[in-house]
Structure formats: structure tokens, C-alpha cells
Amino acid sequence: EGNHTVGLSVTDNDGLTNTTTKVIYVAHKPDAVAQVNRSNVATPGGWVLFNGTGSTCDTNTTQPNSLNYTWEIHGGTYHGATVEHYVTNTTTAFLTVTDEYNCTATDNVTVTYLHRPVPVINFTATGCLRVELNASESYDPDGNIQKYEWDADNGSIDNNTSIICTANFSEGGNHTIRLNVTDDSGLTNTTTKVIYVSCKPRAVAKANRSFVASPGDWVLFNGTDSTYD
């Protein structure tokens, strides 16, 4: 590209010659620049703006900044400087720009698809109003879980950032357990589970008579009205 001198020599049928030169400007090829408004998306996917407006062509041409844009995304062809596309997996978008002289340039940009971690709650009753919570079946499809956070309504949790911990409740009944996990990409996910915690047994002590007199008598102490969950 740039200024170039072109020379022309002509000869007629008398053998006479003449020469001339002319300086012409040759436009440089366009530059394709493919950009994106976000480098990654996470489960379940999201809209991404693919942007080619940073592409340039020679400003000395007859139609400065006149470019045609063609995108190839997931087997589809799209036209325009910008294209919005819904991404559900790792996606590479290919951009081709064409100037008025049919010169082309290409570029591409990739958006990485990240799966959110999957929290899984398991539990086992281990004592009176006490439950062991277990998140060991939680997983991350494309990384590792780095952090666990437990919460229980109407209950206290020992070591609530551990994979396995204990929840203690003041009363039985249905209780909601919440687990939030964070993976090595900083993505989080939360799940909840309603568990039933058995109520404490109820002790009922009775006697078949409320008093005895000297020298005393037999009394039947009866606990059969006591109940459990």
C-alpha cells in the first residue's frame, strides 16, 4: 500500500517512443477487529454482543470507512458491524470485513462457556434434634468447588463452611436447609432442601393415687402416656 510510481512507454509504427509516469496511491488492506462485550457466560447461557466496529479501512479511499461485515457464528451467517447472539456453549465468532475494492481481512473472538457448580444436600439424623449435613456429592462440571456455605432456618450449624457439618435444632418439624457453593471461576449456585426433624419425646408421669397414709401403700407409677414423634 502507499504511493507507487507507474511508468508507461509507447512505440508507434515509425519506431518513435515516448514515456510517461504517474504516481498512484494504492489503498492498504482493511484491518478486521473482532471484539465482544463479555469474555465468558455461565449456565444457563446469556446474550453476547459481537462487535466489529473497531475494524478499519484506508481513509484515503473514495469511500473511507466503508466496510461490509460478515460473521460466522455456530454455522450461521450474520451481517452487520455488531451481532447479538445467545451463547449456550463455548463459541468462536469469525469476522470477515470487505472494503470497496473487495479486499478482505479476518479476525475471530472466543467466548468461554462456564458451568455453574451443582450443590447437592444429603443429611442423616445423628441424635436428638441433631442432623449431619453432607455436601460431598456436590460437583463442578468444568472446575472445582472452592467454598461451601450452609444455612438452616431455626437451627445452628457447626462449621458452616465445611463439606460435612452438624445442624442442631431447638424443635422438631420441617426445616429448610440452604447450601451455597462457589467454584474456582467465582461462579456460585444455591440449592435448598426441606428436611423433617423428629420432635423430642414427651414424658408423662402419672400415679394411680395422689397420696397414701401411714403405714403406706402400693402405688402404680405409670409412664405409658409418654409419646414420641
Side-chain angles (χ1 to χ4, degrees), residues 89-101:
N89 52 37
T90 295
T91 299
T92 299
F94 299 89
L95 171 65
T96 300
V97 295
T98 306
D99 67 11
E100 61 178 299
Y101 303 111

Side-chain angles (χ1 to χ4, degrees), residues 28 34 44 53 55 78-79 109 117 123 130 141 159 168 178:
H28 65 68
T53 57
S55 305
Y78 308 89
H79 299 282
V109 64
F123 67 97
R130 186 170 66 248
N159 302 318
N168 296 284
R178 180 177 292 100

